[in-house]
Amino acid sequence: MTIFQLVLNIWLSITWESRAFLHNLWFYPLCLFLFWYNALVATHNFVHTPWFRSNLLNNLYAIVNSANLYSPVTHYRHIHFNHHRYGNDRQDVHGKTEDHSSTFAYGKNGESENVITYCALAILRDDITESFRQITHKESLQLYLECGTCLLAIIGYLLISWKFFLFFVLPVFYFGWFLTYLANYYEHFGAIPENLYANSTSHYGRIYNFLFCNEGYHQEHHLRPNVHWSQRPQVYENLRKQLDGVVRVILKFPPPLGFIHHRGKIETSVRQTVQY
């Protein structure tokens, strides 16, 4: 899917001005879905369980895929592993969170931030300089190559068709990340950061998990992040006693539709203090 996304984008940039704008509109939902799926599922799984045994092939894939996301995959990995390390933590006494993508980072009165501002501002708050400060010497070349690929993609699209870049690439980039952070928000909203078995939410619907590589098993993923996505249901079975022994959020709807589940409810993380 990521290779198809790249090829489609290149083809669209070349042919964009040969079609009427109304005809180009048909490609918005498809490319928005591809971008979202890439960030939420493909790249997410790649940083945890890389596709290849060869480091060279994995590095090449990360470079190519960075052009799809217009953001370095190595930076994605640093941000995401930071999230796993600190688990959507609450603000400390200084009003700071260790998890840079925590839903509590910009919240007030100990609650999560509003979902709209969280999703709308998340990509604008993204600080790539943090990754440059944290990378090892071994990773530095990889990050620079991925940044260079992102820059080449942007310059290439601008040279081929500035209209394509302005009216297609930028909106898909922004709203693609918006939807990614929307899913991330409800994968943690209402959960209890202090409880290892309830610091994320889960959704066990078969259709969503079939289409999205068991992304609904998010609590299980946090407990065993390096387990391949196909084995997440087994993680639930292995830890069923602990998981069923706590009060935790199990979404009736997939995380991108989590607002339906939480409609009219008090935030779980504020009113519950389950011990583990």
Side-chain angles (χ1 to χ4, degrees):
M1 288 187 70
T2 55
I3 298 301
F4 172 70
Q5 179 189 6
L6 180 63
V7 173
L8 178 60
N9 282 334
I10 294 173
W11 176 77
L12 283 174
S13 69
I14 296 172
T15 62
W16 186 260
E17 296 184 30
S18 67
R19 291 183 299 274
F21 182 71
L22 289 178
H23 292 164
N24 284 328
L25 283 177
W26 290 101
F27 294 102
Y28 279 85
L30 171 61
C31 290
L32 182 59
F33 173 80
L34 288 172
F35 190 103
W36 174 50
Y37 194 93
N38 186 349
L40 181 67
V41 180
T43 303
H44 176 217
N45 285 320
F46 173 75
V47 298
H48 283 290
T49 53
W51 307 148
F52 308 104
R53 293 182 179 180
S54 166
N55 288 332
L56 175 61
L57 290 178
N58 285 320
N59 289 339
L60 287 174
Y61 173 81
I63 292 170
V64 171
N65 196 33
S66 295
N68 282 328
L69 301 174
Y70 312 107
S71 178
V73 170
T74 297
H75 171 59
Y76 180 114
R77 186 175 72 249
H78 274 276
I79 293 296
H80 190 65
F81 283 11
N82 164 268
H83 164 66
H84 273 275
R85 181 178 181 182
Y86 295 108
N88 200 57
D89 62 328
R90 302 180 196 272
Q91 294 178 1
D92 59 20
V93 293
H94 304 291
K96 302 293 184 180
T97 61
E98 295 290 346
D99 181 352
H100 302 314
S101 61
S102 174
T103 60
F104 295 100
Y106 294 90
K108 297 180 180 180
N109 301 319
E111 297 184 4
S112 296
E113 181 181 7
N114 177 273
V115 61
I116 299 300
T117 58
Y118 177 84
C119 298
L121 299 177
I123 193 62
L124 303 178
R125 294 166 175 166
D126 188 28
D127 183 11
I128 194 172
T129 61
E130 180 70 19
S131 291
F132 277 100
R133 288 193 294 267
Q134 293 182 4
I135 58 172
T136 63
H137 177 73
K138 185 178 180 180
E139 293 177 306
S140 60
L141 177 60
Q142 179 68 19
L143 182 55
Y144 279 113
L145 288 173
E146 292 172 12
C147 288
T149 301
C150 295
L151 186 60
L152 284 175
I154 292 171
I155 294 174
Y157 290 140
L158 280 170
L159 290 175
I160 295 171
S161 173
W162 66 267
K163 294 180 180 178
F164 170 75
F165 179 80
L166 184 62
F167 298 114
F168 190 81
V169 170
L170 289 183
V172 169
F173 168 78
Y174 178 78
F175 288 107
W177 282 115
F178 183 101
L179 292 175
T180 302
Y181 277 101
L182 176 65
N184 179 74
Y185 185 90
Y186 285 111
E187 285 175 340
H188 300 91
F189 180 76
I192 308 165
E194 300 78 15
N195 189 326
L196 290 177
Y197 295 100
N199 62 5
S200 304
T201 71
S202 288
H203 168 71
Y204 297 122
R206 293 183 179 180
I207 296 177
Y208 178 76
N209 282 303
F210 174 76
L211 295 175
F212 285 77
C213 299
N214 289 324
E215 188 66 23
Y217 288 84
H218 203 70
Q219 180 62 72
E220 291 77 3
H221 171 60
H222 266 263
L223 289 167
R224 299 291 185 271
N226 293 328
V227 170
H228 191 267
W229 63 263
S230 61
Q231 299 302 313
R232 289 174 190 165
Q234 187 59 47
V235 172
Y236 171 68
E237 294 299 328
N238 294 342
L239 300 175
R240 189 161 191 164
K241 181 179 180 180
Q242 296 93 319
L243 289 168
D244 290 351
V246 298
V247 179
R248 62 190 182 96
V249 178
I250 299 177
L251 297 172
K252 297 179 181 178
F253 301 88
L257 300 176
F259 56 90
I260 302 176
H261 176 93
H262 288 284
R263 187 176 181 181
K265 296 181 179 180
I266 301 173
E267 185 182 343
T268 308
S269 61
V270 173
R271 64 186 176 86
Q272 293 181 350
T273 55
V274 179
Q275 300 298 317
Y276 64 91

